[in-house]
């Protein structure tokens, strides 16, 4: 059992509450979380991070040095139950379903041992809670997944929490130009502060955004990142890449059943299309290392958190999220 101390609003978790497929299911959402391990009848224990993608250490993904999408994850497909097929939540006698085996929008949650990891006791929980998803997914997409190179040109579609962390990763890797794309121009000042050099609002353009990106760079970008989860922006990211050495990374999670199509000819030119889940990090091995890197001032994740609210103002946090007024809102228990 984990006792919640801090959690944050995540696109993946909140998105589950918006989609019609979940409209008739009572779901305990939440996946970005830092808390204290708790055993019944014993004092509060270690500081821990919950893991939306576990690391069992036994499946083909965990045993492969390049894999991290553990076969015991509850994302694709999602049972919305614990590993043993049960739910540990009820409300007025009715079953409440789980989310990602974590379900962190609650003071106490029950998670499998493979879905939680001990972290440094000195870690400030109101900061490092975002490592569970935002930092790992975004920063990880740019650094271990794409391996952004010094002097390269990048474009990031979506400047929310994940996109902002991607920008930080691109800047840390030495990218010389970072183009940010979003329809919400209120995000542009924050994006520029994080390292974006050029901001584009597709709604104000007379041409498809990918064509404008090509004109701005003279050819195309070396690295493109999609952090929205829409088929059209995935295609736009792909079309923004250099035909030969361009790398397109998809981090956005699309609605169930979504598909996107690419020009068959463009696939044979040499550019790379890659999906990235939590930055390809093996979660139980790598998340404590990210926490340590933060404590040693090797990465600064503080700018990714724009709001903090007590948990009883969860609905206000949702309002900020849906209005596009926050990058990440940390909920304090």
């Amino acid at each position: 059992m984990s006792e919640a101390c801090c959690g944050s609003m995540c696109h993946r978790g909140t998105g589950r509450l918006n989609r019609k497929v979940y409209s008739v299911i009572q779901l305990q959402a939440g996946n970005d979380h830092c808390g204290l391990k708790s055993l019944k009848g014993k004092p509060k224990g270690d500081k821990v991070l919950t893991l939306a993608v576990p690391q069992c250490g036994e499946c083909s993904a965990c045993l492969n040095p390049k894999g991290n999408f553990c076969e015991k994850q509850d994302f694709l497909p999602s049972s919305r139950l614990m590993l043993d097929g049960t739910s540990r939540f009820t409300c007025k006698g009715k079953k409440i379903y789980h989310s990602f085996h974590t379900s962190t929008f609650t003071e106490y949650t029950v998670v499998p041992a493979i879905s939680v990891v001990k972290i440094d006791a000195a870690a400030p929980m109101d900061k490092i809670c975002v490592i569970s998803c935002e930092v790992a997914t975004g920063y990880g997409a740019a650094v271990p997944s794409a391996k952004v190179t010094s002097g390269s040109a990048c474009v990031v579609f979506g400047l929310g929490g994940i996109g902002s962390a991607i920008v930080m990763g691109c800047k840390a890797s030495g990218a010389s130009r970072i183009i940010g794309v979003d329809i919400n121009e209120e995000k542009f000042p924050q994006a520029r502060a994080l390292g974006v050099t050029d901001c584009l609002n597709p709604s104000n353009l007379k041409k498809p955004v990918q064509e404008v990106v090509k004109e701005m760079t003279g050819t195309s970008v070396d690295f493109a990142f999609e952090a929205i989860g829409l088929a059209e922006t995935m295609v736009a990211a792909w079309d923004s890449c250099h035909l030969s050495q361009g790398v397109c990374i998809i981090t956005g999670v699309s609605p169930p059943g979504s598909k996107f199509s690419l020009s068959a000819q463009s696939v044979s030119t040499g550019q790379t299309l890659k999906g990235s889940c939590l930055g390809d990090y093996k979660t139980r091995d790598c998340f404590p290392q990210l926490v340590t890197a933060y404590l040693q001032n090797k990465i600064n994740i503080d700018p990714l958190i724009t709001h903090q609210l007590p948990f009883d103002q969860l609905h206000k946090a949702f309002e900020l999220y849906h209005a596009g007024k926050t990058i990440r809102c940390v909920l304090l228990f």
Side-chain angles (χ1 to χ4, degrees):
M1 177 179 287
S2 175
E3 179 180 352
C5 294
C6 300
S8 75
M9 303 291 290
C10 171
H11 177 73
R12 285 187 173 95
T14 54
R16 286 195 158 202
L17 300 181
N18 297 330
R19 295 172 184 159
K20 293 180 180 179
V21 69
Y22 295 106
S23 62
V24 296
I25 296 175
Q26 293 177 306
L27 181 77
Q28 182 62 54
N31 61 290
D32 277 16
H33 169 82
C34 179
L36 298 171
K37 184 170 65 176
S38 178
L39 298 175
K40 187 175 181 180
K42 294 186 178 182
K44 296 176 183 178
D46 303 320
K47 288 184 179 180
V48 295
L49 285 175
T50 54
L51 311 174
V53 174
Q55 184 182 346
C56 73
E58 300 174 347
C59 70
S60 61
C62 289
L63 294 175
N64 188 302
K66 295 183 179 180
N68 81 326
F69 201 65
C70 177
E71 293 174 12
K72 292 186 179 179
Q73 50 76 30
D74 195 48
F75 182 49
L76 292 173
S78 176
S79 69
R80 302 177 296 279
L81 297 170
M82 294 289 285
L83 289 170
D84 62 2
T86 65
S87 170
R88 306 303 173 85
F89 296 107
T90 59
C91 180
K92 298 179 180 179
K94 294 183 178 180
K95 180 190 294 185
I96 303 295
Y97 286 87
H98 290 249
S99 177
F100 301 114
H101 290 322
T102 53
S103 298
T104 58
F105 286 172
T106 176
E107 186 176 358
Y108 289 91
T109 188
V110 180
V111 299
I114 59 175
S115 297
V116 68
V117 65
K118 177 183 175 182
I119 57 172
D120 195 309
M125 292 189 286
D126 61 334
K127 303 294 185 183
I128 55 88
C129 59
V130 296
I131 285 177
S132 283
C133 181
E134 180 183 17
V135 174
T137 301
Y139 186 86
V143 182
S145 289
K147 296 179 174 60
V148 169
T149 53
S150 179
S152 60
C154 304
V155 62
V156 181
F157 287 80
L159 296 173
I162 302 300
S164 296
I166 292 172
V167 170
M168 289 183 65
C170 292
K171 183 178 180 180
S173 298
S176 61
R177 192 170 194 179
I178 305 173
I179 302 170
V181 179
D182 204 292
I183 59 173
N184 183 356
E185 295 189 10
E186 292 185 17
K187 296 178 181 179
F188 289 174
Q190 169 80 357
R192 291 184 184 277
L194 291 173
V196 166
T197 56
D198 308 270
C199 294
L200 295 175
N201 180 349
S203 302
N204 297 335
L205 302 177
K206 297 180 180 179
K207 299 179 181 180
V209 64
Q210 53 266 49
E211 292 186 17
V212 175
V213 169
K214 289 181 179 180
E215 291 177 357
M216 292 171 65
T217 58
T219 52
S220 302
V221 296
D222 302 294
F223 300 93
F225 300 88
E226 200 279 347
I228 301 171
L230 297 175
E232 54 265 39
T233 47
M234 293 177 183
V235 173
W238 170 260
D239 288 343
S240 299
C241 282
H242 194 285
L243 283 174
S244 178
Q245 68 268 18
V247 176
C248 179
I249 302 289
I250 306 295
T251 66
V253 179
S254 56
S258 297
K259 296 181 180 180
F260 69 97
S261 59
L262 305 173
S263 164
Q265 284 185 323
S266 70
V267 178
S268 63
T269 62
Q271 66 187 111
T272 302
L273 176 65
K274 185 180 186 301
S276 176
C277 177
L278 293 177
D280 294 340
Y281 291 118
K282 289 188 180 293
T283 51
R284 299 191 78 202
D285 290 343
C286 297
F287 280 18
Q289 297 172 11
L290 289 172
V291 173
T292 300
Y294 171 76
L295 294 174
Q296 295 176 347
N297 296 316
K298 293 180 179 179
I299 58 172
N300 180 20
I301 61 178
D302 294 359
L304 297 174
I305 301 169
T306 54
H307 294 77
Q308 286 189 349
L309 290 172
F311 185 70
D312 60 9
Q313 293 187 33
L314 174 64
H315 290 289
K316 182 177 179 180
F318 270 107
E319 291 171 3
L320 289 169
Y321 169 80
H322 289 300
K325 301 291 187 181
T326 182
I327 300 300
R328 264 301 183 274
C329 178
V330 169
L331 301 169
L332 306 177
F333 290 78

